[in-house]
Amino acid sequence: PADHLAIELALTAHLTAADHPDRLRLVARLAAWVPRFRDALRACDETGFWSAAADLAVAVLDRATETEPTHQGANDLRRGREK
C-alpha cells in the first residue's frame, strides 16, 4: 500500500481502543522498525514535516510500549508528563 505506516497505526489505534491482546505485539513490531524509518526520513525530508510526524509516531510507540525512549524527543515528552 502507498502508506503502509498509516495503515499499521490505524490498526494499532483500533486494537488499542478495543483493548485487544494483539495490540501489544503490533506495537512491539512497529517499535522495532519505525525509529529506523524516522532516521532515514530525516535524511531526505527537506521541509521537516514528515520527520516531525515520524517523531510523533515514535513517541506514541514509546509510550505504548512503556520501554526506554528511542529518541530524545520522547524523553522531553516524558519529562513534560512528570511535571
Side-chain angles (χ1 to χ4, degrees):
D3 195 345
H4 176 259
L5 181 55
I7 293 168
E8 294 266 359
L9 291 172
L11 177 58
T12 302
H14 175 75
L15 293 177
T16 299
D19 201 28
H20 194 283
D22 286 343
R23 75 190 184 283
L24 300 175
R25 187 173 58 200
L26 181 56
V27 166
R29 190 170 64 77
L30 288 170
W33 67 266
V34 172
R36 290 189 313 269
F37 171 74
R38 185 252 347 259
D39 294 343
L41 187 58
R42 283 181 181 158
C44 62
D45 183 12
E46 295 177 8
T47 66
F49 177 83
W50 297 111
S51 297
D55 283 339
L56 179 59
V58 170
V60 168
L61 291 168
D62 283 343
R63 172 91 187 240
T65 59
E66 295 297 328
T67 61
E68 290 298 315
T70 57
H71 72 2
Q72 186 59 41
N75 284 327
D76 294 343
L77 289 173
R78 288 194 176 155
R79 275 195 292 278
R81 281 198 319 256
E82 294 170 2
K83 291 181 180 179

